[in-house]
Amino acid sequence: MVANPLVTEERKGEIESRASTYFRSFKAMRYQALNVGAHEMVVGPDALKRLSKRHGLALLSANIVDDKTGKPVFRESLIKTVGGLKIGVLGLVTESP
């Protein structure tokens, strides 16, 4: 999780609730996937995965990896067919966002 002094144990529920509102908005705008970055990681990977499942949005990041396993925490890419064309989407985050 990204270190943020404003994210205290008491505020985690509030932060996840706000994130859920964003997920609902993205779904209403017909988003298919979200790239995970530093702002999203404040919510934490487990909460993000719950929200992803609840709202039916894929989370992408090819380079956020679990320190213990070395495997990606989220899906690396997504291929969607749009108007008969296959579109590839890749999620990346910079080292120092």
Side-chain angles (χ1 to χ4, degrees):
M1 189 177 312
V2 175
N4 184 327
L6 299 176
V7 180
T8 61
E9 196 62 38
E10 300 83 37
R11 292 197 64 210
K12 282 186 180 179
E14 172 194 342
I15 291 167
E16 187 169 339
S17 178
R18 284 184 183 189
S20 184
T21 300
Y22 284 116
F23 271 69
R24 263 194 315 277
S25 298
F26 291 136
K27 188 65 176 180
M29 290 185 280
R30 300 173 55 182
Y31 277 47
Q32 299 294 307
L34 301 172
N35 184 53
V36 178
H39 289 94
E40 292 78 20
M41 284 301 286
V42 168
V43 178
D46 293 336
L48 285 171
K49 288 176 183 179
R50 280 193 307 275
L51 291 168
S52 169
K53 188 173 185 175
R54 183 183 317 150
H55 296 285
L57 292 169
L59 296 174
L60 305 179
S61 183
N63 62 341
I64 294 178
V65 296
D66 184 299
D67 287 338
K68 293 178 184 172
T69 66
K71 294 182 180 182
V73 175
F74 303 103
R75 189 172 176 172
E76 297 170 79
S77 62
L78 175 73
I79 297 176
K80 294 294 261 182
T81 302
V82 180
L85 297 173
K86 286 190 177 193
I87 307 291
V89 183
L90 177 70
L92 294 169
V93 63
T94 60
E95 187 172 324
S96 54

